[in-house]
Amino acid sequence: MAEDNRDDDLNTGDLFKDPEGFYPEEPKPTYAEYRTLSGLDLRLRLVGSHPLYGYLLWNAGRTTSEHLERNADKLVAGKDVLEIGAAAGLPSIISAINGARTVVMTDYPDPDLVNNMRQNADAAAPFISQGSRLHVAGYKWGAETDEIRSFLPEPSAGFDLLIMADVIYSHREHQNLISTMQRTLKRSADAVALVFFTPYQPWLLPKTEKFFPLAEENGFTVTKIFQKVLDKVLFENDPGDETLRRTVFAYELRWAPDRLLH
């Protein structure tokens, strides 16, 4: 009687194994260097590639960080700080270095982005001011804020400072960003949201700027504090006015007087 070789007949070998190089190699993380005004050298890990541009150290993030350091006594020291759309989290780290009481670094709740923020927070730990607490969390703009407020010493009070660097380019998210501001910014005359941005697509600047009248309609005052032309563009091969693509526009948003808690 012949031996049953059915198992041999079904042995497909490497038929269903993807050939080497079939899938593109996952881009490796890159790093960006940043020297603080006080002379500290920070090395920030950037995700290798991501549709939300977590692999970049944005111009507005750099400019915001410089502004925070120059004005640390007024804006940061002893304050509770929330960064929205943090990517590598440089402004959050600068806030923690300069004596913020609480810092919550957030970006979209994607594991790669959150893990990258956490690694940067851990790497910055030796530089963080004693008494400062730096936390990392995933957060989708417009969603409930219970988790990010839970890091506060007084969760019901809200944050003294919101950092929003290069986030309003996403026009469809304007209302969600404002909703997050309403839920998280302390109802105090001193509380402020910093909204810094660069028009990387200059022809869309009027659409981007619609964020500000929308914020006013929702209870905030808007003050432009400066604009700064940087030495280099972030995306060298992009079209449009180069000067605008090198410019960071800086705004402060505060609660309108009639929206404050008295």
Side-chain angles (χ1 to χ4, degrees):
M1 184 175 180
E3 186 178 353
D4 190 343
N5 290 321
R6 284 176 294 178
D7 289 343
D8 292 337
D9 293 339
L10 292 175
N11 185 357
T12 59
D14 291 336
L15 178 63
F16 295 108
K17 182 179 179 181
D18 295 323
E20 188 174 346
F22 182 79
Y23 292 107
E25 186 178 351
E26 189 74 19
K28 295 181 180 179
T30 57
Y31 292 84
E33 309 294 331
Y34 181 85
R35 169 161 281 196
T36 69
L37 300 178
S38 62
L40 293 176
D41 289 316
L42 302 177
R43 190 168 187 253
L44 296 146
R45 183 182 187 273
L46 311 174
V47 294
S49 176
H50 199 276
L52 297 179
Y53 303 101
Y55 57 92
L56 297 170
L57 187 58
W58 293 79
N59 286 339
R62 290 179 179 271
T63 305
T64 302
S65 298
E66 183 178 323
H67 180 71
L68 291 171
E69 194 171 0
R70 290 189 185 281
N71 299 278
D73 289 346
K74 177 183 176 183
L75 292 174
V76 175
K79 305 291 187 180
D80 297 318
V81 179
L82 169 65
E83 184 172 8
I84 300 167
L90 177 60
S92 288
I93 291 168
I94 292 296
S95 297
I97 289 172
N98 285 275
R101 179 171 64 168
T102 309
V103 182
V104 184
M105 181 195 304
T106 73
D107 208 324
Y108 189 81
D110 172 273
D112 288 340
L113 291 178
V114 174
N115 178 61
N116 193 72
M117 289 190 297
R118 186 165 287 115
Q119 289 194 48
N120 283 333
D122 290 344
F127 305 116
I128 290 175
S129 176
Q130 186 175 6
S132 293
R133 296 290 180 268
L134 175 56
H135 306 275
V136 173
Y139 176 71
K140 186 177 184 297
W141 302 341
E144 292 298 325
T145 59
D146 291 349
E147 180 187 1
I148 54 179
R149 290 169 67 104
S150 71
F151 297 113
L152 288 167
E154 302 174 56
S156 62
F159 292 88
D160 301 293
L161 172 65
L162 304 187
I163 300 169
M164 301 166 62
D166 270 337
V167 295
I168 64 170
Y169 70 87
S170 183
H171 307 131
R172 65 182 182 182
E173 293 291 334
H174 283 180
Q175 188 60 61
N176 284 333
L177 286 165
I178 290 169
S179 174
T180 296
M181 291 171 58
Q182 291 173 320
R183 295 177 182 184
T184 58
L185 187 64
K186 183 183 291 184
R187 297 231 178 197
S188 161
D190 295 330
V192 60
L194 298 180
V195 180
F196 287 30
F197 74 97
T198 292
Y200 298 106
Q201 297 174 306
W203 59 92
L204 294 178
L205 179 58
K207 200 169 182 180
T208 303
E209 291 177 323
K210 288 183 178 180
F211 174 82
F212 299 108
L214 184 62
E216 290 176 326
E217 292 171 12
N218 283 271
F220 296 96
T221 63
V222 175
T223 304
K224 184 178 179 180
I225 53 175
F226 66 82
Q227 66 184 61
K228 179 180 181 180
V229 180
L230 305 184
D231 294 335
K232 297 180 180 179
V233 296
L234 188 61
F235 302 100
E236 292 185 358
N237 297 321
D238 275 7
D241 185 286
E242 183 182 320
T243 300
L244 276 176
R245 291 190 292 119
R246 289 192 286 121
T247 302
V248 176
F249 295 85
Y251 288 80
E252 286 185 349
L253 278 66
R254 300 177 186 270
W255 283 111
D258 64 341
R259 299 298 183 96
L260 297 174
L261 295 179
H262 299 286

